[in-house]
Amino acid sequence: MLRAGGIEAGGTKFVCGIGSGPDDVELIEIPTARPSETVQRVVAFFRQQVPVPAIGIGSFGPIDPDPKSATFGYITSTPKLDWKNFDLAGAVGRELDTKIAFDTDVNAAALAEYRWGAARELDTFLYLTVGTGLGGGGMVNGRLMHGRTHPEMGHMRVPHDRVRDPFPGNCPYHGDCLEGLAAAPAIQDRWGQPSHALPAEHPAWDLEAHYLALGIANLVCALSPQRIVLGGGVMRRTQLYPMIVEKLAALLQGYIDAPAIVPPHLGDRAGMLGAIALAQLALD
Amino acid sequence: MLRAGGIEAGGTKFVCGIGSGPDDVELIEIPTARPSETVQRVVAFFRQQVPVPAIGIGSFGPIDPDPKSATFGYITSTPKLDWKNFDLAGAVGRELDTKIAFDTDVNAAALAEYRWGAARELDTFLYLTVGTGLGGGGMVNGRLMHGRTHPEMGHMRVPHDRVRDPFPGNCPYHGDCLEGLAAAPAIQDRWGQPSHALPAEHPAWDLEAHYLALGIANLVCALSPQRIVLGGGVMRRTQLYPMIVEKLAALLQGYIDAPAIVPPHLGDRAGMLGAIALAQLALD
C-alpha cells in the first residue's frame, strides 16, 4: 500500500500522520488553536517528512465534502466560530502543493475500520463515536456515506421521558436530540460531574445505554447495517456494550434482527489512519 | 429499453405488468389471497403474454433480498401469517422458468422514481410511503439501499408526547414507533374514523405532519438525502406537504439544510414500474 499523509482534524487536537497503514505510520498531535496557527503547524510537520502524493483530511464538521461544490473542503456551520467557513482543504493543499482528499472525521474512521479494523469485508456498516459530540459515518454498498452533504447522526430525535430524565438536553441547536442527551457534556451537565468520575453502578449508565440503544435502533431501521462499530470516550465504559445490546433487542422486538455492536479495533488512531486511507483511495 | 415483467406484491393487491417503461406497459391487478392462489393468477397473466427474459418483484415485507442467502426471495417475518416464510421469487420463477429480480416494494418504487420520475439524476434520495403501513427505501451513492437485510424506516422511534397525544400507538411489535403513530390505521384508531373521512381542518393533520416531520428529520440526520419523495394514500391530503416542510425546518434549526420533499411522479404505478426496472437492471 502507498504511503500517504493523513490529518484527523478535531475540535481539541489535530493528529497528523504519514504512512501506509496501522503498522507503518509516524504521527504527531497538535492542539487545535486558531485556524492559521494550526494549519501552520500541520504544514511544518509534513514539510519535515518525505513528500507524499496525497494527504487525506478527516475533519470535524459540518463540512462540505462534495468535490463539485464551490466550498469543497470547507468547514461550514460549526459552532466553533474561528473555524466557521474555513477552507481547511484549500489551506493545507496550497501550502503543501499536494492532492487533498476530504471527508468527515467519522467517515475517515469508518474507512480505517473497514480497511484494517472491525468492519473488514462488510459493505454496509456504521461507525459511531460518543464523546464530546455524538457522530456517525459509515458505508452503504461499499461506499462512504454522502448525500446532500453528510450524515449528522447525533442530531436525531429520540423519545425523551421527562419524568424519568428531567434534563432538558444541551445541544445548542436542538436541545434534546441524541447528542444533547447522550454525549459526554450531557452526562456531565445532567449529573453535575464528568462522566469519567461516575462510578459503574451510577444510574447514569443505564440511562446512557437507553439513549444509545434508541439511537442505534433508529439507525438500524433507517439503514439495516451489517455491524455497528461503536467507540469514543464514553464507550471506554465497556459495561455499556452488553447493556446496549440488551436494550436494542428489547426495542426491536424480534421484528428486525439486531446487528452486532463492537468496539473499534484502531482506537484513537482510527481517524488519522482513515485520513491516510482517504488519500490512498484518491490515488487509486 | 428492454421489455420485462414487473410484479408489485402488496398486502391487498398484486399489480402485474409487462413493458419497457411508463409509456409502454400493460397491467392487471389481482387481489391478494392465499399465496398459492395468488401466484397461480400471477402466473396465468404472464403466460398469456409474450415471454420476457426477466421478471422483477417488489414485495411487501420484511423480505430476504440477498441473492447469496438460502432464503433469497422469501417473505420472512410478516404478520400476514399465510405469507410468512413464503418463497415468492422461487414460486414465480419456477412456474415461469424465468430470471427473477427481487427487492422491497419501496426500493422498487424508488428505482422507478429514479429512472422515470421525481428522483432523476440524484444518487442519494429516499422514497417514503404513508398508507396502511409506513415504509421507505431509496438509493445511496446510486445504488438501492440494502444491508443486513433492508431498511424498515417505519419502525423508528420518535418523541411521543402523551399529553398532547394519548393514543398509545398500534404497531403490534413496537407500539408507538413511527408507523404505529402515523400510518393510516393509527389515524383511524386515534380519531375513530378513517383518515379519508377527516376534514381538512381536523387537528389530526397537524399531528400527522408533526410525526412525519420527526421521522423525516431523523432520516435526514441518518442519511443526508438529496431529496425525499413522499407518497402513499395518506399523502393524497396534499395540505400535509407544506406543513411537513415547515415543521422539518423548525426541527433542523438551520444546523442542517432540509432537502426538498416532493410527491412521487409515477403515482400508483411506481411499485410495478420499479419492479420492471429491477428486471431490466438484472438483465444489464
Side-chain angles (χ1 to χ4, degrees):
Chain A
M1 194 67 82
L2 266 173
R3 284 177 69 86
I7 302 168
E8 180 185 7
T12 55
K13 66 184 179 192
F14 275 48
V15 186
C16 302
I18 283 199
S20 60
D23 303 324
D24 162 40
V25 65
E26 285 170 72
L27 65 90
I28 60 157
E29 294 190 0
I30 296 166
T32 304
R34 285 196 303 183
S36 59
E37 186 185 335
T38 313
V39 167
Q40 210 163 41
R41 294 190 60 188
V42 166
V43 165
F45 166 74
F46 284 106
R47 285 210 175 115
Q48 288 160 13
Q49 311 289 326
V50 179
V52 284
I55 294 174
I57 303 175
S59 178
F60 72 96
I63 65 166
D64 183 347
D66 177 4
K68 286 172 289 192
S69 160
T71 51
F72 168 71
Y74 281 58
I75 295 173
T76 57
S77 55
T78 177
K80 296 175 209 297
L81 294 181
D82 278 350
W83 289 87
K84 193 169 176 166
N85 299 321
F86 179 68
D87 179 11
L88 177 58
V92 175
R94 273 190 304 274
E95 288 289 334
L96 293 169
D97 194 20
T98 188
K99 190 182 179 83
I100 301 285
F102 189 70
D103 212 321
T104 58
D105 44 7
V106 278
N107 263 353
L111 179 60
E113 294 290 342
Y114 169 78
R115 193 164 275 191
W116 299 299
R120 268 176 282 192
E121 303 184 20
L122 299 180
D123 64 15
T124 301
F125 69 92
L126 298 179
Y127 175 94
L128 300 176
T129 178
V130 190
T132 48
L134 197 161
M139 282 190 172
V140 174
N141 289 320
R143 295 174 65 187
L144 290 172
M145 292 178 71
H146 297 115
R148 189 170 162 83
T149 58
H150 55 77
E152 285 285 352
M153 298 182 192
H155 296 278
M156 288 190 298
R157 297 312 211 289
V158 293
H160 173 194
D161 177 347
R162 287 170 191 262
V163 176
R164 178 179 179 192
D165 175 26
F167 178 65
N170 66 0
C171 171
Y173 290 92
H174 311 118
D176 61 351
C177 64
L178 185 60
E179 178 171 291
L181 290 171
I187 301 174
Q188 171 149 4
D189 285 4
R190 180 187 288 113
W191 302 107
Q193 46 188 321
S195 61
H196 59 79
L198 295 169
E201 65 280 9
H202 195 283
W205 302 117
D206 190 71
L207 191 65
E208 181 69 9
H210 168 73
Y211 286 128
L212 294 179
L214 278 167
I216 289 171
N218 283 358
L219 293 167
V220 168
C221 291
L223 281 148
S224 190
Q226 296 159 320
R227 193 173 296 164
I228 309 266
V229 183
L230 178 60
V234 169
M235 294 308 301
R236 289 200 192 115
R237 303 302 281 252
T238 53
Q239 69 185 110
L240 286 168
Y241 288 94
M243 295 165 76
I244 293 167
V245 166
E246 187 186 329
K247 289 173 192 292
L248 177 62
L251 284 166
L252 297 177
Q253 279 289 325
Y255 184 74
I256 303 166
D257 278 343
I261 299 175
V262 302
H265 282 193
L266 301 169
D268 290 346
R269 301 194 305 165
M272 179 273 298
L273 287 167
I276 288 178
L278 286 171
Q280 291 169 330
L281 268 189
L283 293 168
D284 270 354
Chain B
M1 194 63 83
L2 266 172
R3 285 176 69 85
I7 302 169
E8 180 186 7
T12 55
K13 68 185 178 193
F14 274 48
V15 186
C16 302
I18 282 199
S20 60
D23 303 325
D24 163 39
V25 66
E26 285 170 71
L27 66 91
I28 61 158
E29 294 189 359
I30 294 166
T32 305
R34 286 196 301 185
S36 60
E37 185 185 334
T38 313
V39 168
Q40 209 164 41
R41 294 190 60 186
V42 166
V43 165
F45 166 75
F46 284 106
R47 286 210 173 116
Q48 288 160 13
Q49 312 288 325
V50 178
V52 285
I55 294 175
I57 303 176
S59 179
F60 70 96
I63 65 166
D64 183 346
D66 177 3
K68 285 172 289 190
S69 161
T71 52
F72 167 70
Y74 281 58
I75 296 173
T76 56
S77 56
T78 174
K80 295 175 210 296
L81 295 182
D82 279 351
W83 290 86
K84 193 168 175 166
N85 300 321
F86 179 68
D87 179 11
L88 177 58
V92 174
R94 274 190 302 273
E95 288 288 335
L96 293 168
D97 193 22
T98 189
K99 191 183 178 81
I100 302 286
F102 190 68
D103 212 321
T104 58
D105 45 6
V106 279
N107 262 355
L111 179 60
E113 294 291 342
Y114 169 79
R115 194 164 273 191
W116 300 299
R120 269 175 282 192
E121 303 184 20
L122 299 180
D123 64 16
T124 300
F125 69 93
L126 298 178
Y127 174 94
L128 301 176
T129 177
V130 190
T132 48
L134 198 160
M139 281 189 172
V140 173
N141 289 320
R143 295 177 64 188
L144 290 172
M145 293 177 68
H146 297 116
R148 188 169 162 81
T149 56
H150 54 76
E152 285 284 352
M153 299 183 191
H155 297 278
M156 287 189 300
R157 298 311 211 292
V158 293
H160 174 195
D161 178 347
R162 285 169 192 263
V163 174
R164 178 179 178 195
D165 175 24
F167 178 65
N170 65 1
C171 170
Y173 290 92
H174 311 117
D176 62 351
C177 64
L178 185 60
E179 179 172 289
L181 290 171
I187 302 175
Q188 172 151 359
D189 286 2
R190 179 186 289 112
W191 303 106
Q193 47 188 321
S195 62
H196 60 78
L198 296 168
E201 65 280 10
H202 194 284
W205 303 116
D206 190 70
L207 190 64
E208 181 69 10
H210 168 72
Y211 286 128
L212 295 178
L214 278 167
I216 290 170
N218 282 359
L219 293 167
V220 167
C221 291
L223 280 148
S224 190
Q226 296 159 323
R227 192 173 297 163
I228 309 265
V229 183
L230 178 61
V234 169
M235 294 307 301
R236 290 200 191 112
R237 303 302 283 254
T238 53
Q239 71 186 103
L240 285 169
Y241 287 94
M243 294 165 76
I244 293 168
V245 166
E246 188 186 330
K247 289 173 192 293
L248 177 63
L251 284 167
L252 297 177
Q253 280 288 329
Y255 184 74
I256 302 166
D257 279 344
I261 298 175
V262 302
H265 282 193
L266 301 169
D268 290 344
R269 300 195 306 166
M272 181 273 300
L273 287 167
I276 288 176
L278 285 172
Q280 291 169 330
L281 268 189
L283 293 168
D284 268 357

